């Protein structure tokens, strides 16, 4: 199995069309020549593929799969964070990654999430991943959360922050009323 094949394998075929629609929508909001962070997740990998139609992007990522997708585009500047590589998803995490992200200020931060609680809390499962995502949010002029509807009401133990820190939510289905409020 190839490096990029593992990203496809980690995503069920049922969710691929949803992720592709979300990715297309996010990419429509990113102008050419923008600077952006893209963090860990298969939806973010789909977004990276959609961004290949853009020109002159400056992309900083802590996702090996995203880096592999966008690094072949000659007019893109791709910067990859250092740190500990998680074998299950190619995510780069840890204190060194957080310190690295804090050195930049970008136009757009694109994040994924494991769950969104009904009180608006953004939740995840990995403390080190959360710390990197928090730094990404603090250092992005606009933050875009890309997630499918299954993340609403999904429980995870670690609080990343609040939905109010997000400028744009892109999802495949309108959330239930409790989440819209």
């Amino acid at each position: 199995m190839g490096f990029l094949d593992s990203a496809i394998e980690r995503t069920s075929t049922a969710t691929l069309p949803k992720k592709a629609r979300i990715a297309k929508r996010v990419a429509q909001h990113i102008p050419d020549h923008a600077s952006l962070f893209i963090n860990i997740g298969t939806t973010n990998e789909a977004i990276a593929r959609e961004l290949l139609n853009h020109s002159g992007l400056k992309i900083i990522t802590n996702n090996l799969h995203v880096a592999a997708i966008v690094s072949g585009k000659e007019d893109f500047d791709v910067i990859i964070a250092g740190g500990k590589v998680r074998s299950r998803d190619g995510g780069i995490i840890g204190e060194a990654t957080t310190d690295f992200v804090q050195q930049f200020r970008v136009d757009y931060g694109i994040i994924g999430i494991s769950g969104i609680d009904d009180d608006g809390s953004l939740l995840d499962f990995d403390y080190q991943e959360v710390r990197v995502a928090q730094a990404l949010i603090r250092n992005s002029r606009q933050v875009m959360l890309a997630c499918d509807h299954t993340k609403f009401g999904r429980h995870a133990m670690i609080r990343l922050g609040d939905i109010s820190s997000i400028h744009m939510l892109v999802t495949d289905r309108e959330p239930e009323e409790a989440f819209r409020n």
Side-chain angles (χ1 to χ4, degrees):
M1 174 185 338
F3 184 70
L4 291 177
D5 296 333
S6 66
I8 293 168
E9 182 179 282
R10 291 181 288 116
T11 302
S12 75
T13 55
T15 62
L16 285 175
K18 289 186 257 183
K19 291 177 186 290
R21 283 193 307 273
I22 292 166
K24 187 175 288 289
R25 190 84 183 268
V26 168
Q28 290 172 346
H29 291 280
I30 304 295
D32 287 343
H33 306 285
S35 59
L36 55 150
F37 287 124
I38 304 176
N39 83 343
I40 302 168
T42 54
T43 301
N44 289 341
E45 293 162 18
I47 293 166
R49 283 188 283 282
E50 280 296 322
L51 290 172
L52 292 173
N53 297 316
H54 285 60
S55 299
L57 296 180
K58 293 160 191 63
I59 299 171
I60 303 163
T61 188
N62 64 322
N63 182 329
L64 289 178
H65 299 290
V66 165
I69 292 165
V70 297
S71 64
K73 189 97 184 329
E74 288 186 20
D75 65 329
F76 282 11
D77 288 331
V78 180
I79 303 170
I80 191 159
K84 178 183 174 188
V85 178
R86 269 193 325 217
S87 61
R88 69 178 160 90
D89 63 3
I92 303 170
I93 56 172
E95 190 174 326
T97 312
T98 303
D99 290 346
F100 177 83
V101 167
Q102 292 181 108
Q103 296 178 57
F104 297 90
R105 180 81 172 147
V106 299
D107 300 323
Y108 299 92
I110 302 172
I111 66 168
I113 198 71
S114 292
I116 303 172
D117 211 348
D118 58 3
D119 69 355
S121 293
L122 303 175
L123 305 170
D124 222 310
F125 293 102
D126 185 310
Y127 177 75
Q128 292 181 338
E129 182 177 346
V130 163
R131 299 290 292 168
V132 174
Q134 289 169 336
L136 187 153
I137 289 169
R138 283 190 305 273
N139 292 289
S140 299
R141 291 178 185 90
Q142 291 188 41
V143 180
M144 304 169 92
L145 173 60
C147 65
D148 65 66
H149 72 278
T150 64
K151 307 300 181 176
F152 293 93
R154 185 174 181 215
H155 299 286
M157 190 173 77
I158 303 161
R159 187 172 188 280
L160 187 151
D162 190 80
I163 194 99
S164 64
S165 64
I166 304 301
H167 299 99
M168 180 184 290
L169 168 66
V170 181
T171 188
D172 62 319
R173 185 185 308 172
E174 188 171 344
E176 294 177 20
E177 188 174 345
F179 294 102
R180 287 192 312 262
N181 294 335

